[in-house]
Amino acid sequence: MSQKLFGGASWRERPDTGATMFRTFAVVRQLHEMLWYLAEASERATTTELSEPPSHLRSEILGVLDGEASQILAADIERIRGEVRQALIDVSEEARGGYDARAGAGVSDDLHPSADLAGRDLRSSRLCGADLRGAYLIAADLRRADLAGVDLLGADLRDARLEGADLSRALFLTQAQLDAARGDDTTVLPAALTRPRHWSTRRR
């Protein structure tokens, strides 16, 4: 960022740019996080109606990132974030709806966005298709759970037990969430994510 936006000089070399550089970095980081989610949303969208908003928003965000620091700071981040959130919700609802239809029944009422599931043993719960956006899953037991179609956008997975769990078809999972959780070599991951080095290796 310092190379492209600030003439190759770091804030140490030009302390007068420090405040602006830090503010710009914070905005750029948010925009890149949105791009990550929008890329997945575009891949999962099955209709033009669902695919157009993520595509449009990706183009808008890339345009902002291609501008000068002043243009990046002037971007309406709250509006963009709101539109990104709605686009992700729409894609999530369509993706999760398929799991409800196949199962013939919905997930438990306590599995909902922002649910406090810290420390819960969820191994016997029906999770496929659950909306757990922003849920607190700190130290929750998800060993050998099938998380297909589970929306994990912003869920707190610190110390969550994921040994043997199948996350390959979970929605909006990030590397940072995996890095904060506990798993092993039997945990099944999405192709775009990497198994954390600190995860254990199951004894053969």
Side-chain angles (χ1 to χ4, degrees), residues 11-138:
W11 64 270
R12 291 186 178 87
E13 296 168 318
R14 290 191 54 193
D16 58 304
T17 66
T20 301
M21 189 178 294
F22 297 148
R23 287 169 54 213
T24 305
F25 176 80
V27 174
V28 168
R29 180 175 181 177
Q30 293 179 62
L31 292 172
H32 275 283
E33 288 176 348
M34 293 183 214
L35 286 175
W36 170 272
Y37 291 125
L38 289 169
E40 180 176 343
S42 295
E43 292 176 357
R44 293 185 179 277
T46 57
T47 67
T48 301
E49 183 180 3
L50 287 173
S51 64
E52 283 184 347
S55 177
H56 171 75
L57 287 163
R58 289 181 69 192
S59 296
E60 180 180 358
I61 290 172
L62 289 172
V64 172
L65 291 171
D66 198 41
E68 301 296 328
S70 58
Q71 295 171 299
I72 293 174
L73 291 175
D76 189 347
I77 300 300
E78 290 305 313
R79 177 192 59 79
I80 296 174
R81 183 185 291 111
E83 293 185 16
V84 169
R85 179 178 181 276
Q86 188 58 56
L88 300 184
I89 288 175
D90 291 343
V91 170
S92 173
E93 287 180 349
E94 196 270 344
R96 291 183 295 102
Y99 290 95
D100 284 345
R102 286 195 293 273
V107 297
S108 174
D109 289 340
D110 60 348
L111 301 178
H112 56 79
S114 302
D116 186 354
L117 302 169
R120 285 274 299 275
D121 186 342
L122 298 171
R123 287 176 293 175
S124 61
S125 299
R126 179 182 175 274
L127 297 170
C128 292
D131 187 354
L132 296 180
R133 285 178 293 117
Y136 296 92
L137 291 162
I138 303 168

Side-chain angles (χ1 to χ4, degrees), residues 2-16:
S2 63
Q3 292 294 320
K4 178 182 177 181
L5 299 177
F6 294 91
S10 71
W11 64 270
R12 291 186 178 87
E13 296 168 318
R14 290 191 54 193
D16 58 304

